[in-house]
Amino acid sequence: MVERKKLKIYIPGIKFPSISLTGNYCSLNCAHCGRHYLEGMRKPTRRELVDYCAGLEREGYTGCLLSGGMDSRLKVPIDRYAAEIREIKRRTSLKLNAHVGFIDENDLEWVKYVDVVSLDFVGDDDVIRRVYGIDKTVEDYLRILDLLTGAGVRVAPHITIGLDFGRIDWEYRAIDLLTEYPIDVLVLDVLIPTKGTGMESVPKPSVEESLRVVEYARERFDGEISIGCMRPLGRWRVDFDRGAILAGINRLTNPPRKVIEWAKSVRDVEIIYECCVM
């Protein structure tokens, strides 16, 4: 049993919506996503964005995730909304989490206006090619981390356990690489085999294997460990969430209600209605 330290439970959907700046468009058709996850995001137009965010604050929202599909540059084109982001920050107190893609030095001008950058991180060149179908390497991801942490930008890397068509292996190296950076929270997701994608028929990673990655991250990483939004539902989520709590994670997103009630018996619990990286 872990020591009775606080567990922060994040429920973002109530006060922290996700916004796609590209609608349902993405230049990629990744094997695990296939643009599926853009469909559930809110989609104000560029002209509407500032007023839309001001309206969110009036309605009691505390922030939002700025995301979307990747363009031909392999970026989520948030740089083209730099003026709007500055205006959102001027007019509101909303917290902004930005999901960015392969950004470069030119993006430092706008990225300083967001509160945190969420960066999907993959620790194996072959997995990058198999899943995303792009000509990028682990070194490209590390360059982004060097750029952002060097500029003092808060970065929250996301590792998706089982991203390699359900197989688990590269995740351990990715965790080792990330321990070299000044990161205060590491997010662990787990592959959901999603209908209509190239991984529709892939078996879910097992709870036991997935928890071994969580335990390794807890052992190696000094910052906070968060279990993110994406992981299988049903009995799988109940068993995994309980195991992750006992393994000493600090943050847990959207657990089942029965897990929340059980968690209160083993940890001090705080419920937060924001993204888990805030």
Side-chain angles (χ1 to χ4, degrees):
M1 184 72 68
V2 296
E3 61 179 300
R4 196 179 173 90
K5 58 186 176 183
K6 180 179 286 186
L7 172 69
K8 289 175 276 190
I9 291 178
Y10 286 78
I11 305 174
I14 295 174
K15 294 186 178 180
F16 210 100
S18 298
I19 292 174
S20 171
L21 299 178
T22 65
N24 287 332
Y25 171 79
C26 181
S27 66
L28 304 181
N29 186 24
C30 300
H32 70 303
C33 173
R35 309 184 186 97
H36 170 84
Y37 292 99
L38 295 173
E39 295 173 6
M41 295 184 183
R42 304 189 186 196
K43 301 177 180 70
T45 65
R46 181 172 184 171
R47 182 176 295 179
E48 296 168 340
L49 184 62
V50 175
D51 287 339
Y52 182 84
C53 287
L56 289 178
E57 184 175 53
R58 286 193 299 271
E59 293 169 21
Y61 291 82
T62 59
C64 59
L65 168 67
L66 297 176
S67 186
M70 288 194 185
D71 61 17
S72 59
R73 305 171 300 166
L74 300 183
K75 294 181 180 183
V76 179
I78 302 177
D79 56 327
R80 293 172 180 161
Y81 292 78
E84 287 82 3
I85 291 171
R86 284 196 298 270
E87 185 65 9
I88 290 166
K89 278 299 193 181
R90 189 186 72 80
R91 284 180 53 182
T92 79
S93 59
L94 292 179
K95 299 174 186 177
L96 299 180
N97 175 16
H99 184 210
V100 294
F102 290 90
I103 59 175
D104 54 41
E105 290 81 358
N106 296 322
D107 294 287
L108 291 178
E109 179 57 33
W110 67 263
V111 81
K112 64 187 178 186
Y113 293 103
V114 303
D115 297 274
V116 61
V117 167
S118 287
L119 178 69
D120 293 326
F121 187 83
V122 183
D124 184 278
D125 295 348
D126 290 334
V127 175
I128 295 168
R129 283 192 292 272
R130 280 197 292 271
V131 175
Y132 298 119
I134 58 177
D135 187 24
K136 292 289 185 180
T137 67
V138 177
E139 288 302 316
D140 292 308
Y141 284 99
L142 295 176
R143 273 193 287 272
I144 299 170
L145 283 170
D146 288 333
L147 174 71
L148 293 176
T149 58
V153 176
R154 190 164 168 266
V155 188
H158 288 49
I159 291 174
T160 299
I161 298 168
L163 182 67
D164 186 17
F165 293 80
R167 294 182 291 267
I168 294 175
D169 177 60
W170 64 270
E171 295 85 348
Y172 295 97
R173 176 172 182 248
I175 291 165
D176 289 341
L177 289 169
L178 292 172
T179 61
E180 303 298 319
Y181 287 88
I183 294 162
D184 62 7
V185 61
L186 169 62
V187 180
L188 300 176
D189 290 316
V190 184
L191 176 74
I192 302 173
T194 301
K195 188 174 181 179
T197 72
M199 296 194 193
E200 177 177 356
S201 300
V202 166
K204 287 179 284 196
S206 75
V207 169
E208 293 74 21
E209 274 195 291
S210 301
L211 284 174
R212 280 198 285 274
V213 178
V214 174
E215 290 161 358
Y216 185 79
R218 178 67 290 162
E219 177 185 308
R220 295 280 290 124
F221 188 71
D222 290 333
E224 297 202 357
I225 303 292
S226 179
I227 303 302
C229 298
M230 181 179 286
R231 61 195 188 283
L233 295 168
R235 185 72 211 180
W236 192 102
R237 182 172 292 208
V238 172
D239 292 342
F240 175 82
D241 288 4
R242 285 179 171 174
I245 291 167
L246 292 175
I249 60 163
N250 309 93
R251 309 179 184 200
L252 178 63
T253 312
N254 290 336
R257 180 169 294 279
K258 66 169 68 174
V259 170
I260 297 176
E261 295 309 311
W262 171 83
K264 292 175 181 176
S265 71
V266 295
R267 301 274 293 273
D268 295 324
V269 170
E270 177 184 6
I271 296 179
I272 302 169
Y273 297 101
E274 294 182 343
C275 266
C276 73
V277 299
M278 304 313 302

